[in-house]
């Protein structure tokens, strides 16, 4: 299938590794060009090199907690590649701990980055999409059901799923699509960290896989391919949805 991605341009946050980088790889492989960002300059530089350099990708060191970040991303895409067709907004997972255990400061910092940073970026990109386009918010299966020990995620991700739906309604008449993606157990550094935190990573992994119908963790590329499709013109009649990429772990219909 031709996804129609040739020469289209996307900005991707939190994309120096993990799910964001996997999506960037899939977009570039299908002919798109990308602006990738994260907070670590050395990781951004390495990601750009792996993506093929400035003909295919450029990078920015940026933090979604900074209100200026979204505009910087939009400007970079237009100045370097001459256009913008959408974004994947991914943010690192917030601190572990139940909703009652985490501190006020952890809640505030996570809200600024995970929640408000995502909203700002989606809003800025949507405002810059004058000829349609797509925005994907990388959320979590916690948007549909709480994940034990991840209270902040359980609190903020459902709200972002609601924001995505609200924005889909508002920007739909301009041809701008907004979607939520719900990754489950995909083998990223974040999930390795969560497994290690149990004190017995192998046992924790086996127990987690027993609750996944496909009986395994996903590979980041499996998420990236879904995300690339959702951002592409091939998914042109899909908006306002939250799409699980979780091996069937969510039990709701």
């Amino acid at each position: 299938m031709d996804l129609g991605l040739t020469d289209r341009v996307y900005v991707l946050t939190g994309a120096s590794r993990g799910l964001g980088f996997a999506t960037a790889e899939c977009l570039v492989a299908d002919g798109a060009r990308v602006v990738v960002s994260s907070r670590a300059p050395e990781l951004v530089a390495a990601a750009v090199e792996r993506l093929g350099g400035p003909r295919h990708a450029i990078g920015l060191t940026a933090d979604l907690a900074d209100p200026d970040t979204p505009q910087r991303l939009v400007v970079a895409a237009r100045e370097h590649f001459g256009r913008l067709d959408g974004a994947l907004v991914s943010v690192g997972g917030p601190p572990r701990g139940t909703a009652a255990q985490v501190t006020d400061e952890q809640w505030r910092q996570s809200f600024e980055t995970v929640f408000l940073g995502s909203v700002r970026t989606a809003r800025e990109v949507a405002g810059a999409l004058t000829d349609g386009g797509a925005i994907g918010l990388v959320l979590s299966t916690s948007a549909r059901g709480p994940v034990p020990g991840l209270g902040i995620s359980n609190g903020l991700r459902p709200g972002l799923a609601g924001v995505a739906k609200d924005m889909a309604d508002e920007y739909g008449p301009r041809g701008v699509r907004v979607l939520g993606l719900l990754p489950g157990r995909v083998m990223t550094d974040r999930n390795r960290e969560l497994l290690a935190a149990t004190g017995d990573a192998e046992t924790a992994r086996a127990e987690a896989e027993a609750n996944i119908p496909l009986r395994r963790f996903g590979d980041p590329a499996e998420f990236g391919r879904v995300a690339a499709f959702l951002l592409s013109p091939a998914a042109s009649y899909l908006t306002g949805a939250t799409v699980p990429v979780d091996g069937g772990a969510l039990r709701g219909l």
Side-chain angles (χ1 to χ4, degrees), residues 206-215 247-251:
E207 290 175 350
E209 289 179 332
N211 291 314
I212 300 170
L214 291 181
R215 294 297 190 269
L250 282 173
R251 306 316 299 151

Side-chain angles (χ1 to χ4, degrees), residues 175 177 229-230 232-239:
R177 301 181 297 110
F229 166 72
L230 294 175
S232 78
S236 57
Y237 202 53
L238 185 58
T239 192

Side-chain angles (χ1 to χ4, degrees), residues 13 26 34 148 152 194 218 225-226 230:
T13 69
C26 292
V34 296
I152 294 178
L194 294 175
R225 288 190 289 269
V226 174
L230 294 175

Side-chain angles (χ1 to χ4, degrees), residues 136-150:
L137 301 183
V138 181
L139 307 177
S140 164
T141 53
S142 63
R144 291 195 186 171
V147 178
L150 296 180

Side-chain angles (χ1 to χ4, degrees), residues 103-169:
T103 66
D104 286 3
E105 185 58 26
Q106 287 174 314
W107 275 107
R108 290 190 189 97
Q109 289 179 351
S110 297
F111 177 81
E112 286 291 333
T113 302
V114 175
F115 194 94
L116 189 54
S118 296
V119 172
R120 282 196 202 102
T121 304
R123 188 172 59 204
E124 185 76 22
V125 171
L129 296 177
T130 57
D131 191 28
I135 300 165
L137 301 183
V138 181
L139 307 177
S140 164
T141 53
S142 63
R144 291 195 186 171
V147 178
L150 296 180
I152 294 178
S153 182
N154 296 334
L156 299 183
R157 304 293 193 187
L160 282 171
V163 167
K165 188 70 170 175
D166 187 84
M167 287 186 168
D169 291 343

Side-chain angles (χ1 to χ4, degrees), residues 40-50 59:
E42 66 282 2
L43 294 179
V44 172
V48 168
E49 183 176 356
R50 290 172 62 191

